[in-house]
Amino acid sequence: MARADFKKIAHSDGQVWSLNEFNGRLLMAHEDGSFEIKDGNANAIYRSIGTWMHKATTRVLPFERLISGTYGGLWLMEFDGTDFKDLGHINKSNESLRFIHYDDNANAVWVSHPYRGVSKLWLSKDFKNVIKEKRYTFPEAESSILHNYLFFIKNKVVVCNPNFIYEYDDSSDQFVKSASLSVLHGLPIQYMKEDKYGNIWFVSNKRLSVLDYSNTSKDRQFFMNHFPMLNGKILGGFESVYVHDLENVFINGQKGGILLNYKDYLEKAVKPNVLLRLIKTSNRAKEEQVIFGGNGHKESKERKIPYAFNTIHFEFSSTNYEQQEQVEYSYLLEGLETQWSSWSNKGEKEYTNLRPGDYVFKIKSRNGVGNESIEEFISFTISPPWYLHPLMFVLYAIFFISFPFWILAMQRKKLRRLHQQELQVRQLEIEKKEKEVIKLRNQNLEAEIGYMDKELANLTMNIIQRGEALGKIKDGINKSMEGLKDHELKTNFKQLTRIIRSAEQTNEDWEKFNIHFNHANENFFLRLKKEHPELTQKELQLCAFIRMNLSSKEIAQLMHVTAKAVEVSRYRLRKKLKIDPEINLYDYLLEFAKPEKSNL
């Protein structure tokens, strides 16, 4: 097809969405339908619905069927060897499908919708119905079903997402990150097309670029070329590129078709140059000094930079303004680096904390087709800091000689401090063990007192019970004597009564009680007598019974008096001990029974 024919298509009425060649015929997807370009004219195949693109049902020529992505779903066409025929809409595909690809192995169509995600539609054998559908998702959390565009690149189904480029893995039936197109990760791509030369054309935010695989080098599999003169002129949302040959590249534009001569563009790509624009230094306080402003000869004078300003910032650029986006830079700082840096389009470089010495900064550039510029360079010297002055080395020598003696003195001081700490720790351990011994001794003493208290309580109960028994016997004898007339028998009963009374008044039980009480209460009587020497034996006996928390009735039985007499004795005892009325007599006497504990 002549170049004039493409110009005619570019200026035709209505919007051309895509151009593709099938069986040697050029088909045009148009907003008014599908057309065949023949002899410079657009012959309608159908006009019933707007068409986005066409896809053949096989990659082996010639083929019989075409599937179109239209405003209303999938459309089927047939080629009988002479003409294309309209076979109508494919049932159960009703959404606008701009991006499609036919998988001839599965008789299925891959489709994508910017707002509904990516799906695979299986077709019936006659291609007239969709019989099955499966939607696909992507592994990364930042990827979603929105803004996904599907293409067929390098024999793989590829999906361009705002974050990554994915390709379909048939073995796992899922999409994975593309390794071959990793250079495009993070770039929002709305359109991608592989031409018959193996180059990949893509559009990102109305900017056209191409990955050119025809002009490679040892370190690059492809060159990325941009077309800055077309920035903003691409029709957003309806991007399309058709490469008839390298001299005729048809591109959808905002004001109609754009015809690009890519071959001529490459031939006119001149060798780039590189310019050092600015060199400035800075210190830690962020103070800056400009040592080269882009004017004058770079080697006109020796540049000595103070060590405090050892952070150096270089800025560089190229005068190839039309290819500014394609220009890349590589640099080398002799004296620090031995290899040139990787190519980058960043026009600045900063080195921090450079050591004293001589340096040469070299910079070169290249354009999108791999042409490199002549190297530019500049020399400079970083002066040594004050602490590298010869006089400082004398001070360093003095310091290093005296330093071991200082370390030795500090070690001795540290050892003395550690020794003192160890003595303190040992003393604390000894005190702790002594406290534990005293605690165990007190616990044993308390256990022994508890045992003695138990024996004393048993003895007291025995005395009380014996007294009660003797009292009952005496009362029984007295009752028996009331009715006796026999003088001799009555005399015998009286003698028996006197024996019982003598047994009640004996001190033998009291002495035994006194011995047990003293053992259980650690010389209770001695301590009480020491505090109150005026107490009588009967009063001490009463104190012992009160200490045992016996009732007045029980005390009366033990002392062979009435309960009222015991109350009177308690009252007199409180006065003699000079105890306040609010103080309990039992609590007061209990203090004299408590063992004296050692406190450390």
Side-chain angles (χ1 to χ4, degrees):
M1 180 175 288
R3 189 170 183 81
D5 295 331
F6 283 107
K7 289 182 178 180
K8 185 176 180 180
I9 295 172
H11 293 89
S12 62
D13 294 335
Q15 185 61 53
V16 178
W17 297 138
S18 66
L19 288 171
N20 291 97
E21 188 175 345
F22 301 97
N23 289 340
R25 308 289 187 89
L26 185 63
L27 296 188
M28 177 175 68
H30 194 272
E31 64 179 348
D32 292 332
S34 181
F35 298 84
E36 179 184 359
I37 306 301
K38 190 175 182 179
D39 299 328
N41 297 314
N43 301 319
I45 301 173
Y46 62 81
R47 293 178 178 270
S48 56
I49 191 169
T51 301
W52 294 112
M53 65 185 306
H54 304 95
K55 284 289 182 178
T57 58
T58 178
R59 283 180 277 175
V60 180
L61 296 176
F63 48 82
E64 297 179 355
R65 294 184 183 88
L66 287 175
I67 294 178
S68 304
T70 70
Y71 294 178
L74 298 177
W75 210 268
L76 184 63
M77 292 191 300
E78 184 181 54
F79 182 69
D80 60 4
T82 303
D83 297 311
F84 291 93
K85 295 181 179 180
D86 175 22
L87 297 183
H89 178 256
I90 297 178
N91 295 325
K92 298 183 180 180
S93 61
N94 302 315
E95 295 179 343
S96 177
L97 300 174
R98 182 182 168 205
F99 301 104
I100 66 172
H101 171 69
Y102 178 76
D103 184 353
D104 52 355
N105 292 323
N107 192 27
V109 182
W110 287 94
V111 300
S112 71
H113 192 284
Y115 308 111
R116 293 183 178 86
V118 176
S119 301
K120 190 174 183 180
L121 308 178
W122 280 265
L123 304 179
S124 59
K125 291 183 179 180
D126 58 3
F127 292 86
K128 292 184 179 180
N129 296 284
V130 175
I131 60 175
K132 180 182 176 183
E133 179 181 1
K134 180 179 179 180
R135 292 186 180 272
Y136 288 81
T137 58
F138 305 99
E140 279 68 31
E142 59 268 30
S143 300
S144 67
I145 63 172
L146 300 178
H147 307 296
N148 295 303
Y149 304 93
L150 183 141
F151 310 98
F152 190 69
I153 305 296
K154 301 295 182 183
N155 295 320
K156 292 183 179 180
V157 176
V158 172
V159 175
C160 296
N161 183 277
N163 300 301
F164 300 104
I165 308 296
Y166 296 94
E167 59 184 40
Y168 177 70
D169 180 26
D170 186 63
S171 61
S172 61
D173 190 29
Q174 61 183 2
F175 283 89
V176 297
K177 285 184 183 179
S178 174
S180 59
L181 297 176
S182 59
V183 67
L184 302 180
H185 286 328
L187 188 65
I189 295 176
Q190 294 83 32
Y191 178 83
M192 185 178 288
K193 174 72 175 292
E194 181 182 1
D195 64 21
K196 58 187 176 182
Y197 303 102
N199 303 322
I200 300 175
W201 300 76
F202 63 93
V203 178
S204 174
N205 296 333
K206 298 183 181 181
R207 303 171 68 179
L208 177 66
S209 305
V210 61
L211 299 181
D212 192 336
Y213 288 82
S214 62
N215 186 13
T216 60
S217 63
K218 292 181 180 180
D219 59 336
R220 297 180 63 167
Q221 295 180 349
F222 56 81
F223 283 92
M224 184 183 297
N225 292 325
H226 306 282
F227 303 92
M229 65 282 195
L230 298 180
N231 288 353
K233 296 180 180 180
I234 307 299
L235 184 59
F238 307 98
E239 301 86 354
S240 178
V241 176
Y242 168 63
V243 181
H244 182 70
D245 53 38
L246 295 181
E247 296 180 356
N248 295 281
V249 181
F250 188 87
I251 306 161
N252 266 9
Q254 290 187 352
K255 297 181 179 180
I258 300 172
L259 196 59
L260 172 68
N261 189 333
Y262 182 54
K263 182 179 179 180
D264 183 62
Y265 177 83
L266 294 177
E267 291 176 352
K268 291 181 179 180
V270 297
K271 189 173 184 178
N273 63 349
V274 63
L275 298 175
L276 274 168
R277 296 173 46 244
L278 178 68
I279 304 176
K280 59 183 179 181
T281 62
S282 61
N283 58 12
R284 293 184 178 179
K286 303 301 181 182
E287 298 174 343
E288 296 183 346
Q289 294 180 354
V290 176
I291 64 172
F292 180 73
N295 299 319
H297 297 288
K298 297 184 288 299
E299 298 164 354
S300 58
K301 60 180 180 179
E302 186 180 8
R303 291 182 175 81
K304 284 194 173 181
I305 301 172
Y307 182 75
F309 288 81
N310 63 347
T311 294
I312 304 182
H313 181 83
F314 298 91
E315 294 183 9
F316 36 84
S317 63
S318 174
T319 58
N320 296 65
Y321 299 111
E322 291 184 355
Q323 300 179 2
Q324 199 64 238
E325 294 184 0
Q326 298 174 227
V327 176
E328 297 178 322
Y329 304 94
S330 180
Y331 43 81
L332 170 68
L333 183 61
E334 289 186 354
L336 177 67
E337 301 167 333
T338 58
Q339 295 181 347
W340 287 83
S341 69
S342 302
W343 292 98
S344 169
N345 57 7
K346 190 175 181 180
E348 59 182 359
K349 174 61 180 176
E350 184 172 282
Y351 294 93
T352 59
N353 299 324
L354 290 178
R355 295 180 178 180
D358 298 326
Y359 297 91
V360 179
F361 180 75
K362 296 182 178 181
I363 180 71
K364 61 183 178 180
S365 66
R366 73 178 181 186
N367 58 17
V369 297
N371 294 331
E372 294 186 9
S373 68
I374 299 175
E375 295 177 9
E376 285 286 320
F377 64 92
I378 187 169
S379 303
F380 59 92
T381 300
I382 302 291
S383 301
W386 60 269
Y387 49 80
L388 294 181
H389 193 276
L391 180 60
M392 293 302 300
F393 286 100
V394 176
L395 297 177
Y396 297 152
I398 296 174
F399 172 76
F400 284 114
I401 292 173
S402 59
F403 184 72
F405 296 97
W406 178 80
I407 290 292
L408 184 60
M410 293 300 295
Q411 288 293 334
R412 289 176 177 174
K413 184 178 180 180
K414 183 178 179 180
L415 289 173
R416 285 195 297 269
R417 184 170 63 252
L418 291 174
H419 181 66
Q420 186 66 28
Q421 291 176 353
E422 288 178 357
L423 290 177
Q424 292 177 356
V425 171
R426 289 179 182 177
Q427 183 64 31
L428 290 174
E429 290 178 351
I430 292 172
E431 292 177 357
K432 182 179 178 181
K433 289 180 179 179
E434 289 179 351
K435 288 181 179 179
E436 290 177 353
V437 170
I438 293 172
K439 182 178 179 182
L440 290 173
R441 186 183 299 164
N442 290 334
Q443 288 176 352
N444 293 333
L445 186 60
E446 289 177 357
E448 184 178 351
I449 291 173
Y451 175 75
M452 290 183 177
D453 279 342
K454 187 175 180 181
E455 284 192 345
L456 185 61
N458 291 333
L459 178 61
T460 304
M461 291 302 299
N462 289 334
I463 296 173
I464 292 172
Q465 289 173 359
R466 192 188 68 177
E468 289 177 352
L470 292 174
K472 290 178 180 179
I473 295 171
K474 185 173 67 173
D475 291 341
I477 293 173
N478 290 333
K479 286 182 181 181
S480 299
M481 289 174 61
E482 291 177 359
L484 287 177
K485 293 182 179 181
D486 187 344
H487 179 73
E488 183 179 355
L489 185 60
K490 195 172 185 178
T491 301
N492 291 335
F493 275 126
K494 286 181 180 181
Q495 186 178 1
L496 184 60
T497 301
R498 285 194 296 271
I499 293 171
I500 292 171
R501 189 178 295 114
S502 175
E504 287 178 338
Q505 294 176 351
T506 182
N507 290 326
E508 183 178 338
D509 291 334
W510 169 249
E511 291 174 358
K512 187 183 295 185
F513 170 84
N514 194 22
I515 292 170
H516 280 277
F517 189 87
N518 275 323
H519 277 297
N521 293 277
E522 287 191 354
N523 299 321
F524 170 77
F525 293 119
L526 292 176
R527 293 169 64 190
L528 185 61
K529 191 72 175 176
K530 183 179 180 181
E531 185 71 21
H532 301 282
E534 68 279 5
L535 293 177
T536 65
Q537 186 67 23
K538 286 288 185 180
E539 288 171 340
L540 289 174
Q541 188 178 13
L542 178 61
C543 289
F545 292 146
I546 295 172
R547 150 70 183 86
M548 292 180 64
N549 203 19
L550 298 177
S551 65
S552 296
K553 182 179 178 182
E554 292 171 336
I555 296 174
Q557 199 165 10
L558 289 170
M559 298 183 72
H560 309 292
V561 295
T562 63
K564 186 175 181 180
V566 172
E567 293 295 334
V568 173
S569 298
R570 288 172 68 103
Y571 175 75
R572 290 174 179 172
L573 180 63
R574 290 181 65 90
K575 292 187 66 177
K576 201 167 190 177
L577 296 177
K578 298 178 182 180
I579 302 174
D580 293 336
E582 61 271 12
I583 297 177
N584 186 278
L585 182 58
Y586 168 76
D587 294 336
Y588 178 78
L589 294 174
L590 189 63
E591 294 297 323
F592 293 93
K594 291 182 179 180
E596 296 182 1
K597 296 183 179 180
S598 300
N599 295 317
L600 291 177

